[in-house]
Amino acid sequence: MYIKQVIISGFRSYRDQINIDPFSPKHNVVVGRNGSGKSNFFYAIQFALSDEFSHLRPEQRQSLLHEGTGPRVISAFVEVIFDNSDNRIPIEKDEVVLRRVIGSKKDQYFLDKKMVTKTDVMNLLESAGFSTSNPYYIVKQGKINQMATAPDSYRLKLLREVAGTKVYDERKEESSTILKESEGRREKIDDLLKYIEERLDTLQNEKEELAAYQKWDKQRRSLEYTMHDHELRDARKKLDELADHREKSGTNNQKLREKQQNLSEQVQEMDYKSRELNSKMEGFQDEKDQIMTEEQEEVKKKAQLELKIHDMEEELAGDATAKGEAEKELKKVERLIETTKEELDEINPRYTREREEEESKKHELAAAEQKRKELYAKQGRKNQFASREQRDSWIDKELKALNKAISDKKSQIQRLRDDLENSEERAETLRKQMSDLENDITNTKGKTDDDNKKYYELKKEVDDLNNRRNDLWRKENAMQQACSSTQEEMKQREMQLRSLTGKSVLNGIDSMKRILNDFRARNDNGQYTHILEGYHGTLIENMECEKTFYTCVEVTAGSRLFYHIVDTDDISTTLLKEINRQRLPGEVNIMPLNRLEVRDTHYPETNEAVPMFRKITFDKKLKKAMQHVFGKTLICRSMDVATQIARTQNLDCITLEGEQASRRGTLTGGYYDTRKSRLDHQRAISELEIKRETQKSELDKLKNDVRVIEKEVEKILFELQRSETRLNKFRGNYDSKKVDLKLAKEELDEILKARMPKERSLAGHEQSLKSMEETKNSFTEERGSDLLSQLSAEDQQRMDELNDRIHQLSQQQKVIFKNRNKTESQKNMKESLLHHSLMKKRDRLQQELEGIQQQDNTDQLTNYRNEVDRVDERITTHNDRKQDLYKEIKKLQAEKAKLNNEIEQLKNQEQEYQLKIEQDSKDLEKMTNKHSILIKKKDDAIKKIREIGFLPGAEVLAEHKDLPSKQLFKKLQEVQAELKKYSHVNKKAMEQFVNFSEQKEKLMKRRDELDAAHQSIVELMTVLDHRKYEAITLTFKQVCKNFSEIFSKLVPNGTGNLIMRKGDQDQILEDDDSDRAIGQAAAAGATSDSEGSQYDSIPQALQFNGIAIKVSFTGNKADTRDMQQLSGGQKSLVALALIFAIQKCDPAPFYLFDEIDAALDMDHRKAVADMIHELAENAQFITTTFRSELLEHADKFYGVKFRNKVSHIELIEKEQAKEFVEDDSQHD
């Protein structure tokens, strides 16, 4: 084992963390200038390993921290890493790290990064060989000089520390303290023995007077006993009589309480019935109010409907009159239309003929005039043209223009013909469209009527469903109130049950419910199904029994009523873990059925007791839990029976009143208030829960029925909306089609009106075309003919004929025009009458008739009347229901009045019983006071009898047994007069004599024990002295031998010895001398007087007072000198030899030497260096020096530098170390 590495941070001059390179297991040398921090390096290791720096004050701790420039250091640490490959430190590691951290307020040790105490560290170092008795494995600077100049007594003290005599001194000090305490106790015992002897002599003289006194005192005690015994018997007799009276009173009181309890229960039951009646009355009243509200709404609705019917009837009456007048007028107009059409049918053909004849004459006249014009033009050609060629040229131009005009005319005629054909086709299309529109209008009218009828039917159905829904709503509200009432009563019962249960148990039940609800919420994949199915609730929730057994069952179960029952212990573990995980409050006790071990119990065959287990109803799968709680308990008729059975059958017994007799022998009883029965509350809660579930089921059914009706209403409303949409659509289509029909008629009229002008225009164009063609033919015939100045005879004849024909045609045309004009006027007048008056009037009348819609209004009136009938029916139903509710409320009020009367009577009876109970309680209180007085009298008599002390014999007591109280009192006075004569007698002389004798015997025995202990302690102190001086002698011998050997190595020709000083004598102890001295000491201890005062005397041969050193540097005895006669360097060398001798006596795994060669000359430094090199084979050395001799055989070298007031240490080479030393020598 050796120091492998040292890490320093913030310690003294080492501000920054310094990781020193690993040390050699042999010799390591640290060099550096003065003040560079070499000594602080050694202080750091000593700070970590020794206890020198323990119990530091704050200022001392602060002095260990670096105080240079830069940031303030608030903590420092020194870490020493040991190579533990040889397992010298008892830790199974090859490397052990010890760190000490210090700050202004902390001082901590860490071993392998774990915090440990200082004691642990010191014990660990002791076990590794770091002896606290030999602190010289660390030799600080100046320690050599201190050793060299120390007196002989200091060296003896050092030797004693090395020998470990401190343990003997401490044990001897403890023994001396115990010895002094023992001597003090022995002196006290001697004083007490002396006092007791004196008291025994005095008490011996008082014994004779005491005998006479005791004779009369026996008479007194006999008389007093007899008197007190009479008083005691009298008190007991009266107490027995009082107990009988109290028992009868208690039985009567119990009967009164039972009757009062029965009355109280009846009152509670009637209160419950009264609350139910109130709830029903409130429900009926609410229903009645709701019906009245609905009835008012229905009446209001009926009034509105009646107003609508009245208005509708008036409107229908007015519509009927208007319709009749309109129909009459329409018929008249239609007759006129027919007449006018017939007249037009007569006029139109005539007008057409006349028009055609006129057109024909007109065309014929135009043709004749054209021909005449051409002949006139032909007659003037000669004057117009000079030659035929010029004429022909002009004709060609005219023909060309005429051809073009003919072509245009033909195109125009074709366009007119196409237009007429298109108009005819459009007219035919419009006629067909009008026919279709009229059919569609008729169909739309029928569909509208059908949908309107269906709409009112759906509306009627909605009203019926709304009425049914209102009835269901009333029932739902009534059921909701009943549920709320049941829930409120259940809540009150639960609160009463919770008030009878501990808070922690209630919190536990609530926590369990919360956990189960969490499991239900998270049971999506069924992972908690086994837990939910395996949990059965509390014991009280899973059992039922007759009300007679409530008290005894509840007393037997106790707090187990609220134990939770589960199938397996795995379920219970899961539940408890979840409760703990969520940190839920409360006390939870669980009974896993698979862990309950129950056996069938053999019950005695008797009519006086029944097994409690058989009187409880429960689920068969919970049989184990019930047997576990109730299986060992019998219900007995009386406490006497219970006590007897419990003693003989090894079963727990209990009475119906709750008095228990345990099979272990204990009896338990008292009054149990049955009004606070937890089972009763639980039964009520269970019944209310069943009732609530039933009501909830009915409520859910009502809600479901309401939802069904609401869905039907929604469906019908949707149909109504669709029907209304269709009606609106049909009405829109109807109106749209009527508009389309009107537009089609107008368009057809326009087409027909424009047809005749177009035909006339076509006839005119055709006549014009015919004239153009005739002109063309004329030009064609004229072209090429001779140019004549006069017409030919033929042309002249044609001219004459044309003039006659033109005159004739003109006359005819005038006549025809006049006739046609007359016919046209008649025709226009009739057409205007027909189209602008009669047709429009007919359309107006038809629109008025359509606007009247008498049939629709009649249907709506019928619907209104039907709805009024339905409203009347609902009002009648509401009235009937209202009358029924009046009867029900009246009936309930009568029942409630009767019930209140009964409750009042029961309360009066209960009050009477309460008064009787209070009176009985007062009587009981009087008896209790009397009982207390008698008890006090009895206790006083017993106390006085006990105060008498020892009673005289039976013969003496028999003398006074039958005497009356007066004679006893008289004799007692006489005896007391005799006793006054012995008032000065010590009445406790005999007792004191016995007590003192016993005390004397005990004190004598205790003194013998103290003497034996005293002798043992003296012998122990003697042995400790012998062992102490044996250790000193043996250690001195070993150190002396090592000193001589080491000194001879350091000074080859020199000799050195250690001399033990005894008084003024010097003595060099050899082996035989030491053995002889020890033997003499033992003999002196054996012959010492144990009772003398010199218990701690020591043999004179071992009375040492110092160690002297005598050396010779030449080997000549004549040159032997003491330490005071040596030079400074010689003293240092001798001191080093002594330190090496001590270290060789108690070797350490490593040594730290700080400038031990400072005062030595060169030869002695070389000898010391050789010595260290020799010892380094078995131990590690870390030294500092300013000389080069120690560098010769060293293995590693470290240089310490001081820069910016901060020390640094680093590994260097041997040459650098020598340069350090030489540089330092030159500097010095």
Side-chain angles (χ1 to χ4, degrees):
M1 171 188 170
Y2 63 91
I3 296 177
K4 187 174 182 179
Q5 191 177 8
V6 176
I7 301 174
I8 307 172
S9 176
F11 186 84
R12 288 198 169 180
S13 60
Y14 294 90
R15 183 188 67 188
D16 304 323
Q17 180 172 325
I18 303 297
N19 296 334
I20 302 172
D21 284 2
F23 291 105
S24 169
K26 294 183 179 180
H27 189 194
N28 304 271
V29 176
V30 180
V31 297
R33 292 173 178 259
N34 273 331
S36 61
K38 299 191 301 298
S39 298
N40 288 339
F41 167 69
F42 276 85
Y43 274 122
I45 299 176
Q46 188 178 4
F47 166 74
L49 300 181
S50 72
D51 60 349
E52 182 175 349
F53 292 90
S54 60
H55 307 296
L56 298 175
R57 294 188 299 275
E59 59 271 16
Q60 292 175 322
R61 291 180 180 174
Q62 190 64 37
S63 66
L64 296 178
L65 302 178
H66 179 76
E67 296 181 349
T69 59
R72 180 185 175 187
V73 176
I74 60 174
S75 66
F77 73 85
V78 177
E79 184 175 290
V80 181
I81 302 174
F82 296 100
D83 183 289
N84 192 37
S85 55
D86 57 354
N87 289 329
R88 184 161 184 170
I89 297 177
I91 296 177
E92 295 296 328
K93 288 185 179 180
D94 293 338
E95 190 173 277
V96 177
V97 180
L98 176 64
R99 173 183 283 198
R100 185 177 181 184
V101 181
I102 192 168
S104 59
K105 295 183 180 180
K106 66 178 181 179
D107 188 0
Q108 299 170 329
Y109 285 90
F110 294 87
L111 185 63
D112 288 336
K113 298 182 180 181
K114 294 181 181 179
M115 186 181 291
V116 294
T117 62
K118 177 186 174 184
T119 305
D120 294 336
V121 173
M122 293 299 114
N123 292 337
L124 188 68
L125 295 176
E126 281 280 347
S127 63
F130 297 92
S131 175
T132 56
S133 62
N134 180 13
Y136 287 100
Y137 65 90
I138 300 177
V139 179
K140 296 186 291 185
Q141 185 177 352
K143 193 68 176 180
I144 302 299
N145 294 332
Q146 181 183 356
M147 180 69 73
T149 58
D152 295 345
S153 59
Y154 176 79
R155 286 189 284 272
L156 178 61
K157 180 181 178 182
L158 176 61
L159 185 67
R160 286 178 176 176
E161 291 179 355
V162 175
T165 60
K166 186 177 180 181
V167 176
Y168 301 117
D169 292 336
E170 290 175 353
R171 293 189 63 185
K172 183 178 178 182
E173 184 67 27
E174 293 174 359
S175 300
S176 177
T177 302
I178 295 172
L179 187 65
K180 291 179 180 178
E181 293 176 355
S182 177
E183 289 175 351
R185 286 195 292 270
R186 192 174 184 281
E187 290 177 359
K188 291 180 180 179
I189 289 173
D190 289 339
D191 293 339
L192 285 173
L193 285 172
K194 183 178 179 182
Y195 170 73
I196 288 171
E197 288 291 346
E198 294 175 355
R199 286 294 297 150
L200 286 174
D201 293 339
T202 303
L203 290 172
Q204 186 67 32
N205 297 327
E206 294 177 350
K207 284 170 62 179
E208 294 177 0
E209 292 181 355
L210 183 61
Y213 171 79
Q214 287 178 345
K215 175 183 175 183
W216 290 107
D217 186 63
K218 187 184 293 185
Q219 291 288 330
R220 176 189 63 79
R221 283 185 282 116
S222 175
L223 291 168
E224 287 182 352
Y225 171 77
T226 304
M227 292 173 65
H228 297 325
D229 185 58
H230 287 175
E231 293 176 359
L232 180 61
R233 290 180 182 179
D234 183 58
R236 284 176 175 171
K237 181 179 178 182
K238 291 181 179 179
L239 283 172
D240 292 339
E241 293 174 354
L242 193 61
D244 293 338
H245 190 196
R246 288 181 65 185
E247 185 175 358
K248 293 178 182 179
S249 177
T251 304
N252 185 37
N253 187 277
Q254 182 65 27
K255 291 180 180 179
L256 290 173
R257 288 184 182 277
E258 289 176 356
K259 291 180 180 180
Q260 186 189 27
Q261 177 65 24
N262 293 332
L263 290 173
S264 178
E265 291 175 357
Q266 292 179 19
V267 169
Q268 289 180 358
E269 186 176 354
M270 289 185 177
D271 283 336
Y272 175 69
K273 291 181 180 179
S274 177
R275 288 195 298 272
E276 286 187 341
L277 289 176
N278 286 333
S279 178
K280 288 182 180 179
M281 288 174 63
E282 289 176 359
F284 287 154
Q285 187 65 39
D286 292 341
E287 185 179 358
K288 187 191 76 173
D289 294 341
Q290 188 174 358
I291 288 173
M292 291 180 69
T293 302
E294 293 177 2
E295 186 179 9
Q296 291 175 359
E297 292 294 330
E298 296 294 343
V299 170
K300 184 178 179 181
K301 187 175 182 181
K302 180 182 176 182
Q304 293 175 352
L305 288 172
E306 288 177 345
L307 288 174
K308 287 181 179 179
I309 289 171
H310 182 267
D311 295 340
M312 189 66 68
E313 287 175 346
E314 291 181 351
E315 184 179 353
L316 282 173
D319 288 345
T321 304
K323 184 176 181 183
E325 293 177 355
E327 287 177 347
K328 185 177 179 181
E329 184 70 20
L330 181 61
K331 288 179 181 179
K332 181 178 179 182
V333 169
E334 286 178 347
R335 283 196 301 270
L336 288 173
I337 290 172
E338 290 296 326
T339 303
T340 306
K341 283 183 177 180
E342 290 175 357
E343 291 176 353
L344 280 173
D345 290 340
E346 293 178 358
I347 293 172
N348 283 332
R350 188 174 73 240
Y351 173 76
T352 302
R353 288 194 306 270
E354 292 176 350
R355 184 71 183 171
E356 290 176 354
E357 186 178 357
E358 182 185 8
E359 290 294 328
S360 176
K361 295 298 180 181
K362 185 178 179 181
H363 292 156
E364 189 176 351
L365 179 63
E369 289 178 347
Q370 178 68 25
K371 287 181 179 181
R372 190 178 64 173
K373 182 179 178 182
E374 290 175 356
L375 288 175
Y376 281 135
K378 184 176 179 183
Q379 185 179 3
R381 298 280 193 273
K382 185 67 177 176
N383 298 323
Q384 186 178 359
F385 300 105
S387 64
R388 187 177 68 178
E389 289 79 8
Q390 188 178 4
R391 184 201 64 183
D392 291 342
S393 176
W394 177 81
I395 289 173
D396 289 338
K397 290 180 181 177
E398 289 294 323
L399 285 173
K400 185 176 181 181
L402 192 60
N403 287 332
K404 185 176 183 301
I406 290 170
S407 178
D408 292 338
K409 185 62 72 175
K410 287 181 179 178
S411 298
Q412 190 174 5
I413 291 169
Q414 188 61 41
R415 284 197 299 274
L416 283 172
R417 286 175 179 171
D418 292 340
D419 191 13
L420 285 171
E421 289 178 359
N422 292 332
S423 298
E424 187 62 29
E425 290 178 358
R426 178 60 182 165
E428 190 64 29
T429 302
L430 286 173
R431 290 189 188 96
K432 185 178 180 181
Q433 183 178 355
M434 287 169 62
S435 177
D436 293 339
L437 285 172
E438 288 174 352
N439 293 331
D440 289 342
I441 288 170
T442 304
N443 294 332
T444 302
K445 180 68 173 175
K447 289 180 180 179
T448 302
D449 294 339
D450 293 339
D451 277 358
N452 199 14
K453 185 177 180 181
K454 186 177 179 181
Y455 175 81
Y456 284 108
E457 289 176 354
L458 289 173
K459 194 171 182 182
K460 178 182 176 183
E461 192 173 350
V462 167
D463 292 338
D464 294 338
L465 288 174
N466 283 331
N467 293 331
R468 286 176 56 193
R469 183 174 60 180
N470 291 336
D471 293 338
L472 289 174
W473 275 345
R474 285 195 295 271
K475 293 179 181 178
E476 182 183 350
N477 290 333
M479 187 56 65
Q480 187 69 45
Q481 288 180 355
C483 285
S484 300
S485 177
T486 303
Q487 183 68 30
E488 184 64 27
E489 186 171 359
M490 187 175 174
K491 186 176 180 181
Q492 290 178 359
R493 284 286 189 173
E494 287 179 347
M495 290 177 63
Q496 291 172 358
L497 180 60
R498 292 173 76 88
S499 66
L500 299 174
T501 311
K503 184 178 180 181
S504 59
V505 175
L506 291 174
N507 290 336
I509 293 173
D510 294 338
S511 299
M512 186 64 74
K513 289 180 180 178
R514 180 175 175 182
I515 292 299
L516 292 171
N517 290 332
D518 288 347
F519 284 162
R520 290 189 187 95
R522 292 184 286 165
N523 194 30
D524 296 333
N525 299 323
Q527 65 270 32
Y528 299 111
T529 302
H530 68 288
I531 296 177
L532 297 173
E533 293 178 353
Y535 176 80
H536 304 291
T538 56
L539 182 70
I540 194 172
E541 295 172 350
N542 289 280
M543 55 168 285
E544 291 181 1
C545 65
E546 295 180 13
K547 194 170 183 179
T548 309
F549 303 109
Y550 276 2
T551 301
C552 58
V553 170
E554 190 170 344
V555 171
T556 299
S559 61
R560 291 178 292 182
L561 283 172
F562 299 97
Y563 280 16
H564 302 265
I565 304 174
V566 297
D567 284 339
T568 63
D569 53 344
D570 292 336
I571 295 175
S572 62
T573 303
T574 303
L575 292 171
L576 291 175
K577 283 183 178 178
E578 188 66 18
I579 289 174
N580 291 330
R581 186 184 70 80
Q582 296 188 19
R583 297 183 179 179
L584 298 177
E587 174 186 341
V588 177
N589 297 288
I590 301 178
M591 290 192 294
L593 295 175
N594 68 323
R595 288 289 184 178
L596 297 178
E597 296 182 1
V598 294
R599 298 178 183 177
D600 292 335
T601 304
H602 175 71
Y603 300 111
E605 297 293 337
T606 176
N607 295 327
E608 300 294 328
V610 293
M612 182 178 289
F613 175 72
R614 296 176 183 172
K615 294 297 180 182
I616 297 174
T617 305
F618 54 86
D619 193 340
K620 290 183 179 180
K621 62 184 178 182
L622 305 179
K623 183 178 179 180
K624 277 189 175 182
M626 301 302 168
Q627 279 185 318
H628 176 73
V629 178
F630 305 108
K632 291 286 186 179
T633 304
L634 293 177
I635 303 174
C636 301
R637 290 186 182 277
S638 64
M639 194 61 182
D640 295 335
V641 175
T643 306
Q644 181 181 359
I645 294 177
R647 186 172 60 252
T648 59
Q649 299 294 329
N650 193 30
L651 293 172
D652 293 330
C653 297
I654 190 169
T655 64
L656 292 174
E657 292 77 19
E659 296 174 335
Q660 291 177 291
S662 173
R663 61 179 179 272
R664 296 180 179 83
T666 59
L667 300 178
T668 308
Y671 172 70
Y672 294 97
D673 191 352
T674 56
R675 292 175 296 180
K676 297 181 179 180
S677 173
R678 291 174 288 184
L679 288 172
D680 188 23
H681 288 303
Q682 181 62 38
R683 176 191 58 78
I685 290 171
S686 300
E687 292 176 354
L688 289 171
E689 191 169 358
I690 294 171
K691 182 179 178 181
R692 184 188 65 180
E693 291 300 323
T694 304
Q695 292 173 342
K696 189 177 179 182
S697 177
E698 294 179 3
L699 182 62
D700 292 339
K701 185 176 181 302
L702 289 171
K703 288 182 178 179
N704 186 50
D705 293 341
V706 170
R707 284 195 293 270
V708 170
I709 290 177
E710 286 178 346
K711 287 182 180 178
E712 292 180 2
V713 169
E714 289 177 0
K715 183 178 179 182
I716 295 174
L717 287 175
F718 179 70
E719 289 295 329
L720 273 173
Q721 187 175 4
R722 289 180 60 187
S723 179
E724 190 173 359
T725 303
R726 283 198 304 271
L727 282 171
N728 293 330
K729 184 178 179 182
F730 287 154
R731 291 191 183 102
N733 289 336
Y734 179 79
D735 295 338
S736 175
K737 287 176 181 178
K738 287 190 70 175
V739 171
D740 292 341
L741 181 60
K742 181 179 179 182
L743 293 175
K745 284 182 179 181
E746 291 175 353
E747 186 178 355
L748 182 61
D749 291 341
E750 291 295 329
I751 290 172
L752 294 176
K753 193 180 291 185
R755 181 177 179 181
M756 190 171 291
K758 288 181 180 178
E759 289 177 348
R760 287 199 299 267
S761 177
L762 178 62
H765 285 301
E766 288 177 346
Q767 185 63 38
S768 177
L769 177 63
K770 187 176 179 182
S771 298
M772 288 179 181
E773 288 178 345
E774 289 177 354
T775 303
K776 177 181 176 183
N777 292 329
S778 177
F779 278 136
T780 303
E781 290 176 358
E782 184 181 357
R783 188 179 184 281
S785 63
D786 294 332
L787 182 65
L788 298 179
S789 58
Q790 295 290 328
L791 293 174
S792 65
E794 185 179 355
D795 290 335
Q796 187 65 42
Q797 183 181 358
R798 190 187 303 172
M799 175 72 75
D800 294 335
E801 291 175 354
L802 287 172
N803 287 327
D804 295 337
R805 182 65 179 164
I806 289 170
H807 178 73
Q808 183 182 359
L809 289 173
S810 297
Q811 294 298 321
Q812 290 177 354
Q813 185 181 7
K814 288 180 181 177
V815 174
I816 291 170
F817 174 77
K818 183 178 179 181
N819 294 332
R820 194 268 307 166
N821 195 19
K822 181 179 178 181
T823 303
E824 185 176 5
S825 298
Q826 293 176 353
K827 175 178 172 291
N828 289 337
M829 185 179 65
K830 297 295 181 180
E831 285 180 348
S832 176
L833 177 64
L834 177 65
H835 293 293
H836 293 91
S837 179
L838 296 177
M839 295 291 286
K840 289 184 177 181
K841 189 174 183 180
R842 185 186 67 177
D843 293 339
R844 179 175 59 78
L845 291 173
Q846 286 178 348
Q847 288 178 357
E848 288 179 359
L849 288 173
E850 289 176 357
I852 292 172
Q853 295 180 350
Q854 189 174 11
Q855 182 61 39
D856 292 343
N857 292 336
T858 304
D859 294 338
Q860 191 170 4
L861 179 62
T862 303
N863 291 328
Y864 283 157
R865 286 172 178 169
N866 293 333
E867 192 168 354
V868 167
D869 293 338
R870 291 196 297 274
V871 170
D872 287 335
E873 185 179 350
R874 288 198 294 272
I875 290 173
T876 303
T877 304
H878 287 332
N879 285 327
D880 295 340
R881 180 57 182 165
K882 188 166 61 175
Q883 294 300 322
D884 293 339
L885 288 174
Y886 277 128
K887 293 178 182 178
E888 290 290 338
I889 291 172
K890 190 173 181 181
K891 181 180 177 181
L892 290 175
Q893 286 175 347
E895 290 181 6
K896 184 179 178 183
K898 181 180 178 182
L899 195 61
N900 289 336
N901 188 22
E902 292 178 358
I903 290 173
E904 188 66 28
Q905 292 177 2
L906 290 174
K907 285 185 176 179
N908 292 334
Q909 293 180 15
E910 186 181 5
Q911 186 66 27
E912 291 176 3
Y913 284 122
Q914 181 64 33
L915 293 174
K916 291 180 180 180
I917 290 171
E918 290 176 358
Q919 184 61 40
D920 191 70
S921 298
K922 291 179 181 179
D923 295 340
L924 183 62
E925 185 176 359
K926 291 179 182 179
M927 284 188 285
T928 302
N929 294 333
K930 189 174 181 182
H931 181 268
S932 300
I933 294 171
L934 291 173
I935 287 291
K936 188 175 183 304
K937 189 175 180 182
K938 184 186 77 170
D939 292 341
D940 290 342
I942 293 172
K943 183 179 178 182
K944 289 177 180 178
I945 290 172
R946 288 176 179 171
E947 288 176 353
I948 292 174
F950 295 104
L951 296 177
E955 296 177 357
V956 179
L957 293 174
E959 293 178 3
H960 309 112
K961 182 177 180 182
D962 299 327
L963 294 177
S965 298
K966 290 183 179 181
Q967 291 185 13
L968 289 172
F969 184 71
K970 185 178 180 181
K971 281 196 172 189
L972 180 60
Q973 288 180 338
E974 293 175 357
V975 171
Q976 287 177 345
E978 290 294 332
L979 285 172
K980 287 181 181 179
K981 298 177 181 178
Y982 300 96
S983 58
H984 64 283
V985 174
N986 184 5
K987 299 176 181 61
K988 297 184 179 180
M990 184 60 71
E991 183 180 352
Q992 291 176 353
F993 184 82
V994 173
N995 289 337
F996 280 121
S997 299
E998 292 175 354
Q999 289 180 15
K1000 178 181 178 182
E1001 184 178 353
K1002 291 179 182 179
L1003 288 172
M1004 292 291 289
K1005 184 177 179 181
R1006 179 60 180 156
R1007 187 176 65 178
D1008 294 340
E1009 291 174 357
L1010 288 174
D1011 290 341
H1014 185 277
Q1015 183 63 29
S1016 299
I1017 294 171
V1018 171
E1019 293 175 358
L1020 175 62
M1021 293 175 67
T1022 303
V1023 171
L1024 289 173
D1025 284 335
H1026 294 164
R1027 291 181 181 176
K1028 171 182 174 183
Y1029 289 105
E1030 180 183 7
I1032 292 174
T1033 306
L1034 293 176
T1035 304
F1036 175 76
K1037 172 186 172 184
Q1038 188 175 359
V1039 172
C1040 184
K1041 179 181 177 182
N1042 294 339
F1043 178 78
S1044 298
E1045 293 174 356
I1046 291 171
F1047 188 79
S1048 63
K1049 289 181 180 180
L1050 294 176
V1051 184
N1053 295 323
T1055 59
N1057 290 309
L1058 299 178
I1059 299 172
M1060 184 71 75
R1061 291 189 180 278
K1062 177 188 174 187
D1064 296 333
Q1065 300 177 1
D1066 294 340
Q1067 182 178 3
I1068 301 176
L1069 294 178
E1070 300 295 340
D1071 292 346
D1072 295 341
D1073 296 334
S1074 61
D1075 294 340
R1076 184 166 56 254
I1078 292 169
Q1080 291 175 357
T1087 57
S1088 63
D1089 185 7
S1090 62
E1091 296 184 0
S1093 60
Q1094 299 180 356
Y1095 297 108
D1096 58 346
S1097 63
I1098 301 172
Q1100 292 295 321
L1102 298 178
Q1103 291 291 337
F1104 304 128
N1105 56 14
I1107 296 177
I1109 301 176
K1110 291 188 177 183
V1111 295
S1112 173
F1113 282 84
T1114 61
N1116 190 353
K1117 289 186 178 181
D1119 292 335
T1120 301
R1121 300 177 183 178
D1122 293 332
M1123 287 292 288
Q1124 291 79 6
Q1125 298 173 338
L1126 299 177
S1127 65
Q1130 290 174 337
K1131 287 181 180 180
S1132 298
L1133 184 63
V1134 172
L1136 274 173
L1138 180 59
I1139 288 173
F1140 282 139
I1142 292 172
Q1143 290 174 344
K1144 193 173 182 181
C1145 180
D1146 187 8
F1150 61 84
Y1151 298 96
L1152 305 177
F1153 290 163
D1154 187 11
E1155 298 183 12
I1156 59 172
D1157 58 348
L1160 301 179
D1161 54 20
M1162 184 182 297
D1163 294 336
H1164 292 154
R1165 287 199 299 271
K1166 187 175 184 309
V1168 170
D1170 293 339
M1171 175 63 67
I1172 291 175
H1173 179 65
E1174 179 183 346
L1175 295 175
E1177 293 297 328
N1178 298 316
Q1180 183 188 42
F1181 283 85
I1182 301 175
T1183 63
T1184 63
T1185 184
F1186 287 110
R1187 305 288 185 254
S1188 61
E1189 285 77 11
L1190 285 178
L1191 303 177
E1192 293 300 328
H1193 302 293
D1195 296 290
K1196 277 196 173 183
F1197 307 90
Y1198 298 87
V1200 180
K1201 298 180 181 179
F1202 191 70
R1203 296 190 294 269
N1204 299 326
K1205 297 184 180 181
V1206 177
S1207 296
H1208 303 274
I1209 184 168
E1210 57 187 13
L1211 181 68
I1212 60 176
E1213 297 297 331
K1214 185 175 182 178
E1215 289 75 12
Q1216 292 176 307
K1218 287 183 178 180
E1219 290 176 2
F1220 259 102
V1221 172
E1222 291 173 359
D1223 183 62
D1224 191 68
S1225 300
Q1226 293 175 3
H1227 183 74
D1228 292 342

